[in-house]
Amino acid sequence: PDGTFSDRQNERILEFQYKYFVELATYVYLGFALQYSFLRKFGYSTLSFGLLQATVAAQWGILWMQFIDRFHCDYLLRQINFGTGDVLCEENLPADSISGTFQQIQERQGCTCKLWTEIAANKSMSSELPHQAHHALLTIGKMDFEDTIIMTYPAMMEGLLATVPVQITYGMLLGKVGP
């Protein structure tokens, strides 16, 4: 046992992600888009506009959800002053604890962002500190220690989830304004 996963274990994770992705896509493209076809005179145009809107919002959502994660980490690193010793990341900041004041939670997240940037700069640290590296990936919302935009099932699912407010707003406007 060298710590690597077998093909079967990776396949099950991929199966779960694919199943969830298909459910989300069905919900976004068929659920929301077909609810707009209630207008008798404008049914086809609202249906096609809803599908177009969902497609564009999903594409922008994939990009912006990853940008927001990056901006949030940069913000936390700027807010927390690591140089003066105010926050000691080496102290016992339990990763499983989400209790505490808002400032303490931000400090924990900032320390995790700092750890992610350190591991991204020196990738051999991920094999030296596997549990901390895994926690950093989960907290930051990334799949690896590359600072790039990635196209994975979780990224596409986040993009589809980002379309929901757009679709709800469009449905609300159609119900309120009407042709």
Side-chain angles (χ1 to χ4, degrees), residues 90-112:
E90 291 77 26
E91 277 186 5
N92 185 17
L93 294 174
D96 60 345
S97 172
I98 57 171
S99 62
T101 64
F102 183 70
Q103 181 67 28
Q104 290 171 333
I105 293 172
Q106 276 193 327
E107 288 172 359
R108 249 192 317 275
Q109 289 177 342
C111 288
T112 305

Side-chain angles (χ1 to χ4, degrees), residues 25-47:
T26 304
Y27 176 68
V28 167
Y29 290 110
L30 292 180
F32 277 125
L34 288 178
Q35 80 176 359
Y36 303 142
S37 63
F38 67 90
L39 300 170
R40 183 178 304 173
K41 190 175 180 183
F42 302 103
Y44 291 122
S45 60
T46 56
L47 176 67

Side-chain angles (χ1 to χ4, degrees), residues 28-39 41-58 163 165-175 177 179:
V28 167
Y29 290 110
L30 292 180
F32 277 125
L34 288 178
Q35 80 176 359
Y36 303 142
S37 63
F38 67 90
L39 300 170
K41 190 175 180 183
F42 302 103
Y44 291 122
S45 60
T46 56
L47 176 67
S48 60
F49 190 69
L51 290 171
L52 175 70
Q53 175 182 316
T55 304
V56 171
T163 64
V166 175
Q167 296 282 44
I168 289 173
T169 305
Y170 179 60
M172 183 181 68
L173 287 174
L174 270 179
V177 176

